[in-house]
Structures are given as structure tokens and as C-alpha cells.
Amino acid sequence: MTAIETRGLSKIYGKKAAVSELDLAIQAGEFFALLGLNGAGKTTTIRMLTCLTRPTGGDALILGRSVIREPEAVRKCANISPQETAVAPNLTVRENLMLIAQIYGMSRAQAARRTDEITQQLSLDEIVKSRAKTLSGGWQRRLSLAMALITQPKVLYLDEPTLGLDILARRELWRAMEDLKGRVTVVLTTHYLEEAEALADRIGIMANGRLKAVGTAAEIKSAARSDNFEDAFLALAQGGGTV
Ligand SMILES: Nc1ncnc2c1ncn2[C@@H]1O[C@H](COP(=O)(O)OP(=O)(O)OP(=O)(O)O)[C@@H](O)[C@H]1O
């Protein structure tokens, strides 16, 4: 089943085409990474898919619902874990999770049950009573992921989730993300190529608002005639030929 389908999806700001004629299909349960140099159009794409920005052309269907005609339905099935999540700094991890669950309409009992589940799933037990403001960067990101997952979205967008983390915290977050594979449709944007290579089922490379390549890391390397993913990425991300 297709979870995300874009048809000629475009966003033009003045004379600048931030995203041009994007045609992409992502399957349910797929872990998809969107890569590109600064300004390639990744964030604009995610903003359109999450109904934060209205496309100037084309459309995107999220589980069959149009981002233009049915934004409310789209918002219900998808969630985003942005770089900076609005955690309440003076609340504990548990209180933050309970708060989000209740904002999304769960009763106190339901929220408590979901909070316990997600705490276990993301191994947050040791920090559950800590105030959010006292957490390290790695734990903050893990809390952010938990807050995005608590409502059990079918589609999850992860916008540079490991930016600025040390290698240990990054690896720990990778493990948490790996756990989502097959269960949630994930679209990840990252500048860490090894992260995309390690986690993604397929990778899309954008340059100048256009999709230059889509495939597994191996397919992208082979199409770019390179043994090295970074070289293949650079060849495509700098506006080279379409694969
Ligand atoms: N609100 C806006 N108004 C005008 N131009 C914009 C706006 N948002 C994005 N752009 C332009 O659209 C292009 C794509 O930007 P976008 O933020 O989508 O790229 P990105 O791939 O996410 O980059 P980065 O990796 O730096 O986050 C850039 O040239 C950017 O300057």
C-alpha cells in the first residue's frame, strides 16, 4: 500500500522554485530518507506533506488523503518530530508525555497507559522523573521522538533528528529509529549520509528543488557508478544527471 504519493508537487516563492514537480511514492512501513545539500528543498517538501505550507502546484496524498483538500485528515494520521520540540522545560519527561497525549484527546487513564508503553519502547525509564530542562541533547531528542510517537501516527517525519549529537547519543537514537522500521512510515531528513545508509530502505536525493535519484543506497551507488555513497551523493546532489 502506498502511504505517501506526490504528483507534480511544487512550491514557488516569487521566482524561486523551492520544489519542482516532485513525483514520489513511499510505501506503508517504508523508512525513506530525503537527502540534499542546503537549500535543496527537503524542508519545503516536508512542510507541504505536513500541511504547514500549501503547494503552489500539484498535490500529495497521505494515506489517500489530499494535503490540499483534506488537511485535517492528513494532520490526524501524521506527526512530525522537528529539530526543536516544544517540550515544557519545567515538567518531567512523564508529565510532558502525559500532557501531549491528553492534548491529543486521550483520557487520563489512556494517556497514562500510552506513556508507560512509549517509555518502555524508547527505554526512557531512567529519565522519566527528570525535568526536561535537565536532559542532555541525546535524551531531549529521544523525548522528542517519544512525543511524536505517543499518538501512534501512521506516518512520521523526522527532521534532522540527530543533528549536533555526539556519536554515542546518535547511535542510541539510531537504535530507537531502527525499531520503528516496518511499523510506521518514516520520512527522515538528514545531512549525515551514513545515517541514511544505515537506516533507510530507500533514499531520495534532491537538488535545486528536483528529485535527482531514488533507490536503495546500493542502487544509487551503482547508478552513479561509484563504490562510495558519499561520492555518489555529491555527484547527484550538485545537480548531476537523474538516476
Ligand atoms: N519562506 C520562504 N520564502 C522564500 N524562499 C524560501 C522560503 N522557504 C524556503 N525558501 C527557499 O527555497 C529553497 C529550498 O529551501 P529548503 O529549506 O526547503 O531547503 P532544505 O533542503 O531543507 O535546506 P537545509 O538543508 O538547509 O535545511 C531555498 O533556496 C530557500 O531559500
Side-chain angles (χ1 to χ4, degrees):
M1 187 185 129
T2 307
I4 301 174
E5 186 178 2
T6 70
R7 298 174 185 159
L9 189 69
S10 306
K11 180 76 185 183
I12 296 171
Y13 289 110
K15 285 183 185 159
K16 167 91 195 170
V19 175
S20 279
E21 300 283 331
L22 192 70
D23 290 319
L24 178 65
I26 299 174
Q27 299 306 307
E30 193 173 1
F31 199 120
F32 190 88
L34 201 52
L35 304 182
L37 299 174
N38 292 133
K42 307 177 297 291
T43 305
T44 306
T45 301
I46 303 280
R47 287 178 61 82
M48 288 191 282
L49 296 178
T50 50
C51 306
L52 289 170
T53 295
R54 201 180 154 84
T56 48
D59 197 356
L61 302 180
I62 315 298
L63 300 170
R65 304 301 191 103
S66 156
V67 295
I68 294 173
R69 285 176 286 106
E70 302 161 283
E72 284 310 314
V74 169
R75 284 194 194 100
K76 278 204 181 107
C77 63
N79 214 337
I80 182 164
S81 180
Q83 281 168 34
E84 301 302 333
T85 303
V87 295
N90 286 315
L91 296 186
T92 67
V93 165
R94 185 176 175 79
E95 287 164 347
N96 265 289
L97 291 168
M98 287 288 293
L99 181 66
I100 290 287
Q102 288 176 285
I103 287 173
Y104 275 89
M106 289 183 214
S107 68
R108 215 183 145 69
Q110 283 171 327
R113 204 165 41 242
R114 242 339 254 156
T115 295
D116 289 344
E117 280 169 12
I118 205 79
T119 300
Q120 231 181 16
Q121 189 187 332
L122 291 184
S123 309
L124 297 173
D125 305 270
E126 65 182 89
I127 54 145
V128 81
K129 290 185 182 141
S130 309
R131 283 181 199 272
K133 67 180 175 193
T134 66
L135 301 176
S136 68
W139 282 119
Q140 294 255 6
R141 297 295 169 80
R142 210 131 30 120
L143 171 58
S144 159
L145 185 59
M147 287 166 73
L149 284 169
I150 199 153
T151 57
Q152 297 180 294
K154 294 199 165 58
V155 178
L156 178 67
Y157 301 94
L158 300 173
D159 185 16
E160 300 193 40
T162 64
L163 184 72
L165 295 186
D166 67 39
I167 185 71
L168 182 64
R170 185 176 307 156
R171 287 290 162 98
E172 280 170 0
L173 203 59
W174 281 14
R175 224 169 295 142
M177 292 192 277
E178 216 153 31
D179 237 34
L180 304 175
K181 286 186 80 160
R183 295 206 255 166
V184 185
T185 306
V186 177
V187 180
L188 164 81
T189 68
T190 181
H191 284 290
Y192 299 114
L193 302 184
E194 73 279 15
E195 185 164 299
E197 241 188 316
L199 293 172
D201 299 312
R202 283 190 311 149
I203 295 168
I205 297 179
M206 291 186 76
N208 303 320
R210 293 185 180 276
L211 196 60
K212 289 289 180 178
V214 186
T216 63
E219 284 166 355
I220 287 174
K221 281 189 283 193
S222 122
R225 295 192 182 82
S226 172
D227 295 335
N228 179 299
F229 187 69
E230 194 169 302
D231 291 341
F233 168 77
L234 274 175
L236 294 160
Q238 292 183 105
T242 306
V243 175

